[in-house]
Amino acid sequence: MFLRAKLISAELLMWKLLLAAVIAIYASLAYADETTAPCKYAYYGTNLSVYTSDELCGPIIAGANASYCIVNSTDCSIINNITMNGRTTLPFFNALGNLSTSKIAYFKFGNKSLLVMKGMSFPPTLTTLFIENITTLDFNQLTTPFPSSLRKIDIIDSYLDIFPASFKWPTNLRNLTLRNNRLQTIPKGLPVNLSTLAIQNNTLNDFNYLPPNLTFLNIRNNQYEKVTDKDWTNLYFL
Ligand SMILES: *[C@@H]1O[C@H](CO)[C@@H](O)[C@H](O)[C@H]1NC(C)=O
Ligand SMILES: *[C@@H]1O[C@H](CO)[C@@H](O)[C@H](O)[C@H]1NC(C)=O
Ligand SMILES: *[C@@H]1O[C@H](CO)[C@@H](O)[C@H](O)[C@H]1NC(C)=O
Ligand SMILES: *[C@@H]1O[C@H](CO)[C@@H](O)[C@H](O)[C@H]1NC(C)=O
Ligand SMILES: *[C@@H]1O[C@H](CO)[C@@H](O)[C@H](O)[C@H]1NC(C)=O
Ligand SMILES: *[C@@H]1O[C@H](CO)[C@@H](O)[C@H](O)[C@H]1NC(C)=O
Ligand SMILES: *[C@@H]1O[C@H](CO)[C@@H](O)[C@H](O)[C@H]1NC(C)=O
Ligand SMILES: *[C@@H]1O[C@H](CO)[C@@H](O)[C@H](O)[C@H]1NC(C)=O
Ligand SMILES: *[C@@H]1O[C@H](CO)[C@@H](O)[C@H](O)[C@H]1NC(C)=O
Ligand SMILES: *[C@@H]1O[C@H](CO)[C@@H](O)[C@H](O)[C@H]1NC(C)=O
Ligand SMILES: *[C@@H]1O[C@H](CO)[C@@H](O)[C@H](O)[C@H]1NC(C)=O
């Protein structure tokens, strides 16, 4: 009788120990998960607000509209869930993430002192991009080129002095505005079919890289002396 009771309590103890071990393993696994899987945007820098439409905002469902959110680059926690169509005023962000599943056609942002866009990716539906007043706009950090769907790009008031040699202009681009920057040359490799270029108020002093089929060109307020070596017959405005 006693022996039997002892056996039972020994068995109980064994089960208790086993349960405790299982819990401990589980806890350590969960802990390991949190510590070994850093936020995918951690490499952007710490404490950045990343505007994105990837799986961090919610499941990506084919055929459904994408979810948008702003996440903390340190821990991927959601700072803001966003309902938007590209034209609404966005909450504060200072980095751009993977927006490739969004279906936006128009994207406008600006008034920022910093913009990190290392892993940024725009959707193949984007046709118009408008960027204004960004103090440190550095296209060197891009890893994914702008989509070829883009037809109109405005980058204004942004202290932009150079496009990196690796920057790929979307081939279908028709209208480009780069006014009020610090460009020293017309960007290299503009698409041959670019139709309008507004590049006034920069520091240009030559016409190198001028694309061949422009119908509109604004180069006012640059550092040209005298333009004598150009045939402007296709242009209706200078
Ligand atoms: C991001 O998370 C870190 C640590 O979890 C926190 O200290 C920081 O304030 C957060 N930043 C933003 C912008 O929410
Ligand atoms: C994180 O960023 C937010 C907003 O940009 C700022 O208010 C906060 O002080 C920062 N926190 C840390 C720990 O740097
Ligand atoms: C996607 O959003 C548009 C406009 O915001 C709405 O008209 C449409 O019904 C939405 N589609 C789905 C599948 O939710
Ligand atoms: C954002 O939406 C998700 C999913 O709907 C929700 O779990 C989360 O609490 C929301 N976060 C914020 C900051 O609104
Ligand atoms: C962005 O997300 C899409 C869909 O999840 C993925 O296919 C693509 O590789 C991601 N792009 C980048 C640059 O991470
Ligand atoms: C930037 O701020 C100016 C006002 O200073 C405002 O008119 C403009 O719409 C803002 N631009 C963006 C993209 O938020
Ligand atoms: C440009 O953006 C800065 C923030 O980086 C803001 O303080 C300033 O008012 C903006 N300028 C204009 C003309 O909107
Ligand atoms: C953009 O270029 C097209 C020609 O491809 C021209 O018809 C149109 O007027 C231009 N739009 C703007 C806003 O300059
Ligand atoms: C020219 O661009 C600079 C910024 O690069 C700006 O401060 C200035 O107001 C612009 N001038 C005109 C006439 O728009
Ligand atoms: C430029 O336009 C011409 C005439 O429309 C077309 O034949 C050609 O394929 C276009 N080139 C590119 C690179 O899109
Ligand atoms: C653009 O220029 C290229 C080279 O000068 C020429 O072959 C092409 O036909 C032109 N396209 C248009 C639409 O004028």
Side-chain angles (χ1 to χ4, degrees), residues 89 108-111 130-133:
T89 309
K108 174 176 178 171
F109 57 88
N111 296 339
F130 186 102
I131 301 175
E132 71 177 343
N133 183 26

Side-chain angles (χ1 to χ4, degrees), residues 137-158:
L137 193 57
D138 176 11
F139 289 110
N140 267 302
Q141 45 178 321
L142 287 183
T143 49
T144 306
F146 283 6
S148 58
S149 50
L150 272 165
R151 294 187 67 87
K152 185 176 186 328
I153 296 177
D154 286 38
I155 303 170
I156 63 177
D157 298 322
S158 291

Side-chain angles (χ1 to χ4, degrees), residues 51 68 84-88 102-109 123 125-131 150 152:
Y51 175 52
Y68 301 87
M84 72 156 257
N85 59 14
R87 282 178 197 271
T88 46
S102 69
K103 297 189 183 69
I104 46 172
Y106 176 93
F107 191 24
K108 174 176 178 171
F109 57 88
T125 48
L126 192 68
T127 57
T128 305
L129 179 63
F130 186 102
I131 301 175
L150 272 165
K152 185 176 186 328

Side-chain angles (χ1 to χ4, degrees), residues 55-121:
E55 72 287 348
L56 299 172
C57 308
I60 293 165
I61 302 158
N65 287 331
S67 307
Y68 301 87
C69 64
I70 291 173
V71 298
N72 185 331
S73 68
T74 304
D75 56 12
C76 269
S77 59
I78 296 182
I79 299 170
N80 253 301
N81 287 315
I82 304 165
T83 323
M84 72 156 257
N85 59 14
R87 282 178 197 271
T88 46
T89 309
L90 290 167
F92 174 82
F93 65 89
N94 51 18
L96 288 168
N98 191 338
L99 291 158
S100 70
T101 59
S102 69
K103 297 189 183 69
I104 46 172
Y106 176 93
F107 191 24
K108 174 176 178 171
F109 57 88
N111 296 339
K112 299 180 185 306
S113 54
L114 171 73
L115 185 69
V116 179
M117 44 187 180
K118 293 178 184 173
M120 176 187 82
S121 164

Side-chain angles (χ1 to χ4, degrees), residues 151-152 154 172-177 193-197 215-216 236:
R151 294 187 67 87
K152 185 176 186 328
D154 286 38
N172 293 319
L173 193 68
R174 292 294 174 272
N175 312 104
L176 178 61
T177 299
N193 286 346
L194 189 73
S195 182
T196 65
L197 176 62
T215 56
F216 173 98
Y236 61 77

